[in-house]
Amino acid sequence: MKIRKSLTSLLSLALLLTPLNLVFADGNMDTITMNNELKKRIEVNIDSSITGNEREVIADVMARLDEEDRGNVIYVAEDGAIYSNKTELKETTEVYDLVENNIYQSASGKELIGPGISTNDFSASAVKDDTQISPTAEVPNPSGGSGPYRRVFSNNGYNWLSTYVTIPGAPYVKGNVSTDVPYVYLGGWGSNGNGIDAGLQYSTAFDNWSPTTLANGAMVPSNTRYRSGQDIYMKFYVTNPNECTLAVSGITTTGEQLTTTIVRSGVSGWDKSGTGMRVKS
């Protein structure tokens, strides 16, 4: 978890870390039948207005996701192109590029304050081969950088992480509307040390949280907003070579129980084997 400047309450996390083993099985159904059933389940979640190559791309991405994560999907290709199974999601999603000192800007001129440029902590040695989480969980220096934060990370060999996190709001989260931006996120470092942050960004102005990802110097948030003061379920996992996924489930500001999924492609050093990779929270 990492925040910028001010967060007055402790965010509680329960971690589950495990290597990812995907098994596709459906009784005695043959492969063709399974593929047809999977295609049907995916197609019903794609807006009819999405056609042609765009539909094929997002359908392929959704096939790699856990079934519960296919409802509202944003896919960011390596070249920055945005795809989605929902027209509204695509129209409201932008890529924010780093412009200076932790400030990110979209093509339309909107700006975001990032979670901070962290040091390369991946070089820290594993503690024990038979433990999942480091017993000496890192508590970075609360001064300097982008503000105080706490982080725990796994030893090598993991590419999947899930957690329930209690996301607070006003009056427990305080700060300057224009400069203080709390974050709570998962992510980690690939086998080449390439990092990704994937979680939630708090709006001090509106007292709610939005899913967001940061990889390769670009932030991609979703405009879906989640209420403060609830337990949110977050999942981070590898869905393809050099492809990482964040899924956030909870109650939105409109009262819906919703899962928002952001898939980032072109994140080098990540694959399903987990070899040489670490996840963090």
Side-chain angles (χ1 to χ4, degrees), residues 94-228:
E94 294 184 277
V95 175
Y96 290 71
D97 294 312
L98 180 64
V99 289
E100 61 175 348
N101 298 329
N102 202 31
I103 302 297
Y104 295 79
Q105 188 176 80
S106 70
S108 66
K110 297 177 184 176
E111 290 189 349
L112 290 175
I113 299 174
I117 302 173
S118 62
T119 56
N120 185 11
D121 305 294
F122 184 80
S123 59
S125 60
V127 182
K128 279 176 144 185
D129 289 338
D130 60 350
T131 59
Q132 291 182 337
I133 304 175
S134 165
T136 56
E138 181 187 11
V139 185
N141 192 327
S143 62
S146 61
Y149 65 100
R150 175 177 173 81
R151 173 170 59 223
V152 296
F153 54 86
S154 74
N155 285 318
N156 291 345
Y158 296 91
N159 70 348
W160 187 90
L161 165 66
S162 73
T163 177
Y164 281 96
V165 55
T166 302
I167 50 174
Y172 303 105
V173 185
K174 299 178 181 178
N176 187 298
V177 170
S178 61
T179 60
D180 296 339
V181 184
Y183 282 84
V184 53
Y185 57 78
L186 313 177
W189 303 275
S191 58
N192 60 356
N194 188 23
I196 178 172
D197 297 333
L200 292 166
Q201 177 192 51
Y202 179 71
S203 169
T204 307
F206 298 103
D207 187 29
N208 55 36
W209 299 76
S210 65
T212 187
T213 58
L214 170 59
N216 299 329
M219 288 187 68
V220 179
S222 167
N223 278 342
T224 304
R225 314 296 302 191
Y226 288 85
R227 290 178 179 172
S228 297

Side-chain angles (χ1 to χ4, degrees), residues 26 34 47 61 72 102 116 128 134 145 172 175 205 257 264 276:
D26 197 355
M34 279 197 301
D47 286 353
V61 172
N72 302 277
N102 202 31
K128 279 176 144 185
S134 165
Y172 303 105
Q257 178 68 44
R264 297 293 301 267

